[in-house]
């Protein structure tokens, strides 16, 4: 990340991708607070570079939702999953496996909220 930020700038597309990948690594390590923090930094970069309704943004939203679920922040996760679902449905179709993944995550968030 530091190398990408030095070479391209902290708000560059390259830094956004590095932040996203770092978020996935933190998820794999079970460090959900760090996952949330780096994905929250990646989100505005990805929105600016790829468009607010891109599949790249949907992926960040879905993984950010996972971090929030793991931290017990289910209402925030629900909101992120709902936005990811809208994008994913438009881009992949409502019957796609990508939509099924987001729907499963959204269902878990609703379940945790008692809905």
């Amino acid at each position: 990340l530091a190398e990408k930020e030095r070479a391209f700038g902290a708000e560059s597309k390259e830094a956004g991708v590095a932040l996203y990948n770092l978020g996935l690594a933190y998820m794999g390590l079970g460090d959900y607070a760090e996952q949330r923090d780096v994905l929250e930094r990646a989100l505005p970069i990805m929105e600016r570079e790829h468009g607010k309704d891109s599949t790249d943004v949907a992926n960040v939203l879905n993984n950010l939702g996972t971090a929030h679920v793991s931290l017990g922040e289910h209402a925030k996760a629900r909101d992120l999953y709902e936005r990811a679902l809208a994008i994913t449905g438009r881009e992949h179709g409502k019957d796609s496996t990508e939509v099924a993944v987001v729907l499963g995550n959204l269902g878990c968030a609703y379940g945790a909220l008692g809905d």
Side-chain angles (χ1 to χ4, degrees):
L1 173 61
E3 185 177 307
K4 297 292 185 190
E5 288 177 333
R6 254 191 317 281
F8 301 103
E11 299 297 313
S12 67
K13 179 179 181 178
E14 294 81 4
V17 170
L19 285 163
Y20 176 73
N21 290 333
L22 186 57
L24 295 180
Y26 281 127
M27 179 173 60
L29 293 170
D31 190 340
Y32 304 112
E34 285 295 330
Q35 177 192 5
R36 177 199 57 209
D37 293 348
V38 297
L39 291 177
E40 284 178 349
R41 285 180 55 202
L43 182 59
I45 297 169
M46 300 298 260
E47 289 174 329
R48 185 185 67 247
E49 294 294 331
H50 298 279
K52 290 183 183 271
D53 291 329
S54 72
T55 56
D56 291 312
V57 168
N59 290 334
V60 175
L61 292 166
N62 191 49
N63 286 298
L64 186 53
T66 301
H68 282 284
V69 163
S70 297
L71 295 167
E73 300 163 351
H74 303 289
K76 179 65 176 172
R78 177 201 57 216
D79 296 344
L80 293 163
Y81 289 143
E82 286 179 348
R83 184 170 165 215
L85 180 62
I87 296 167
T88 304
R90 270 194 311 276
E91 295 299 315
H92 294 286
K94 65 179 181 150
D95 294 326
S96 68
T97 56
E98 293 86 357
V99 165
V101 168
V102 180
L103 277 172
N105 291 340
L106 181 58
C108 290
Y110 274 120
L113 291 167
D115 291 340

